[in-house]
Amino acid sequence: MEDYKFFNTVEILDFLGIKYNFENNEGRQYPFKDKPSDILFNDGYITIPREGIEKIIQNKISDKDYSGILKEIKMLVHIPFYCKRTKNTGTIIVNVSVGFRYDKEYKYGDVTKSLPEVCYAIEKYGRKTNDFYIIYDEFNYFMSNYVMDTQWGIGAMEVVSSPQIEIDDNFKEVRDDEMF
């Protein structure tokens, strides 16, 4: 039986570059202006486009060629947070891609899982919506075994703060100012 690594949430945050953003002194944005101890991180989740995932699995099962369908799997990793100082919530969204080029050696590591293996894991652990898979229950397991130990690239990071809107029992917005 194969040994699986299991990275905890702090290691996954470090992998995604969130630790670096707290340490970086230039151009920090919210919530990275606060101390890491001021932020509470919730369990993350991943959204992955469904396009091509099922076709890879079907072609592998029926022993057909699956090359050319997908070259990499692109995903968005969402890390919800709560700032204790400002009492504000938000989500850190990181663009991650997993590549399967066997002809190159990347600084991130070798390809440890094949494209059909990762697609099957997405199908197994993800919940289907219309156009996406969402992986939330097995977030740490999926990140540990199918993303972090294979060829990956991390793209842009975006912080989305959630607006706070108060509504009454009639589902009308409660506002302090009389202008609206």
Side-chain angles (χ1 to χ4, degrees):
M1 183 154 168
E2 189 176 341
D3 289 334
Y4 288 107
K5 290 185 178 178
F6 189 83
F7 294 101
N8 64 28
T9 304
V10 173
E11 291 170 317
I12 292 173
L13 294 175
D14 187 21
F15 166 78
L16 294 172
I18 294 172
K19 178 181 177 186
Y20 169 77
N21 283 309
F22 279 108
E23 294 171 349
N24 185 15
N25 290 329
E26 295 178 18
R28 294 196 293 185
Q29 62 179 2
Y30 176 80
F32 304 117
K33 292 179 181 177
D34 292 313
K35 297 180 290 189
S37 60
D38 289 338
I39 308 295
L40 296 174
F41 292 101
N42 287 343
D43 290 337
Y45 59 96
I46 304 169
T47 54
I48 304 168
R50 280 182 60 188
E51 184 178 340
I53 301 290
E54 286 130 354
K55 194 167 187 176
I56 294 281
I57 296 169
Q58 290 168 355
N59 284 8
K60 179 64 177 173
I61 290 171
S62 62
D63 207 21
K64 293 181 184 175
D65 184 29
Y66 58 83
S67 63
I69 298 172
L70 287 175
K71 296 201 183 318
E72 63 183 2
I73 296 176
K74 297 178 181 176
M75 58 189 77
L76 291 176
V77 178
H78 306 261
I79 308 289
F81 67 88
Y82 171 75
C83 182
K84 293 185 269 188
R85 183 183 60 78
T86 63
K87 309 267 190 277
N88 195 9
T89 60
T91 303
I92 298 170
I93 304 170
V94 182
N95 182 15
V96 177
S97 62
V98 178
F100 300 94
R101 293 197 52 191
Y102 299 95
D103 60 336
K104 285 191 161 188
E105 186 174 316
Y106 287 86
K107 64 181 177 181
Y108 306 117
D110 298 326
V111 177
T112 58
K113 302 287 184 200
S114 68
L115 178 60
E117 281 181 292
V118 175
C119 289
Y120 178 72
I122 293 168
E123 175 82 23
K124 181 177 178 182
Y125 300 119
R127 181 175 178 181
K128 287 183 189 179
T129 63
N130 287 345
D131 296 327
F132 296 95
Y133 286 100
I134 301 173
I135 298 174
Y136 51 88
D137 285 341
E138 300 289 336
F139 173 76
N140 285 39
Y141 181 82
F142 184 81
M143 286 294 292
S144 299
N145 292 296
Y146 295 98
V147 176
M148 292 173 70
D149 281 342
T150 194
Q151 292 180 14
W152 48 267
I154 295 180
M157 177 184 295
E158 189 67 35
V159 178
V160 180
S161 294
S162 302
Q164 296 179 350
I165 299 171
E166 185 179 349
I167 58 173
D168 62 10
D169 292 336
N170 295 323
F171 215 78
K172 301 240 187 224
E173 185 176 354
V174 176
R175 300 184 67 108
D176 291 336
D177 55 356
E178 296 295 325
M179 191 170 169
F180 296 97

